Amino acid sequence: MSHEQYDEPEENFIESYHPKINEVAEKFLVDLHEEHFRLPEDFPLCALLIGEAFDQLYSTGRIPGREFHADVYKQKPMKITQKVFVPTKQFPKFNFTGKILGPKGNSLRRLREETQCKIIIKGRGSMRDRSREEELRSMGDPKYAHLNKDLYVEISTIAPPAECYARVAYALAEIRKYLIPDKNDEVSHEQLRETMEMNPEMAKSSYSSNPKLYRSVFAKSGAGGTPKF
């Protein structure tokens, strides 16, 4: 299966996750909506700041601008959220979303389990259903304002301070492997092997545009015969 033809994962990695928002943050959201509605169109910078506040609150569940201290004495759990740049402008033809998801979304699911972090693909091009993405983008709902931005990955976790930073550091190191625009690296090999185990015919047809990768994995798998393209 090529990076251009990944199956739809069993769960929607974008719409399935929303942070918990307490009553104070809910009130803040209401105030933001009211101010955004009253704001004249000739204040674009103010609108931008309000949009960023929406984005941060929906990402972290916390009111932006409030100073936060880590409580290492009591080891009080904290939350860290880190956005990760995806080089879509440098490599516009490479399907980073497909490579991060992997077959049936399994690559992203394993990343989440191994790093103990929530890892979500956001931004323009993050949804396989482009018509659905355009529909959500045109709604103007701040919850989906990220769809107007360039593609990025959002990593977050909740744990005691030192553990929290360690998890995010590990996730950043691991996610980098999926942000390298190479269709013949170890990640691609592993994803093809996984696809061959699930559906050999689909693997053959989907990876026909990359015969070098297919032959390499085909030979390592010990399958008989020679693939023909």
Side-chain angles (χ1 to χ4, degrees):
M1 182 173 296
S2 71
H3 300 316
E4 287 72 29
Q5 294 179 322
Y6 280 81
D7 287 342
E8 185 72 33
E10 295 177 1
E11 61 179 293
N12 189 316
F13 289 100
I14 296 177
E15 296 182 71
S16 62
Y17 169 70
H18 300 294
K20 293 181 179 179
I21 300 177
N22 60 30
E23 292 182 4
V24 177
E26 286 282 5
K27 177 62 168 58
F28 184 77
L29 271 177
V30 172
D31 293 340
L32 274 182
H33 276 288
E34 291 179 353
E35 290 199 17
H36 189 266
F37 180 76
R38 296 198 308 265
L39 189 68
E41 293 184 359
D42 52 348
F43 288 91
L45 293 180
C46 292
L48 179 64
L49 291 173
I50 291 177
E52 289 295 331
F54 274 124
D55 184 50
Q56 186 171 340
L57 203 154
Y58 279 121
S59 296
T60 66
R62 295 199 300 263
I63 296 177
R66 292 190 174 181
E67 189 174 11
F68 179 79
H69 294 81
D71 189 343
V72 295
Y73 173 68
K74 294 182 179 179
Q75 287 289 77
K76 185 177 180 181
M78 60 182 289
K79 181 175 182 178
I80 294 178
T81 300
Q82 179 63 55
K83 295 179 180 179
V84 179
F85 166 80
V86 178
T88 52
K89 290 187 177 180
Q90 292 88 334
F91 306 96
K93 295 183 179 180
F94 193 85
N95 186 358
F96 290 98
T97 299
K99 188 170 185 179
I100 296 170
L101 284 174
K104 298 289 186 181
N106 289 338
S107 295
L108 181 54
R109 191 173 292 107
R110 281 193 295 268
L111 276 174
R112 288 176 164 182
E113 294 173 354
E114 292 173 3
T115 63
Q116 300 182 68
C117 291
K118 288 186 181 296
I119 303 177
I120 308 168
I121 307 171
K122 289 188 172 183
R124 189 178 296 274
S126 57
M127 299 183 68
R128 185 174 183 270
D129 188 339
R130 296 305 169 85
S131 60
R132 173 63 173 163
E133 179 179 317
E134 186 58 40
E135 179 185 346
L136 293 175
R137 184 165 36 242
S138 61
M139 286 171 57
D141 188 336
K143 187 183 300 183
Y144 302 107
H146 66 88
L147 293 173
N148 292 301
K149 300 181 179 181
D150 291 336
L151 190 70
Y152 66 95
V153 176
E154 184 177 274
I155 298 172
S156 64
T157 191
I158 300 175
E163 174 67 17
C164 200
Y165 278 98
R167 288 182 186 180
V168 172
Y170 180 40
L172 290 172
E174 289 300 302
I175 198 67
R176 183 182 182 275
K177 301 174 184 177
Y178 297 84
L179 300 180
I180 298 175
D182 186 351
K183 296 182 179 181
N184 197 33
D185 59 4
E186 185 54 38
V187 170
S188 301
H189 280 234
E190 181 59 36
Q191 291 177 340
L192 175 53
R193 281 193 289 269
E194 185 175 357
T195 305
M196 289 175 66
E197 292 176 0
M198 294 188 299
N199 191 328
E201 287 302 316
M202 180 181 293
K204 183 176 180 180
S205 61
S206 299
Y207 277 94
S208 60
S209 61
N210 193 356
K212 181 180 178 181
L213 172 61
Y214 187 83
R215 290 193 182 97
S216 175
V217 175
F218 189 89
K220 292 179 180 179
S221 67
T226 302
K228 298 179 180 180
F229 296 100

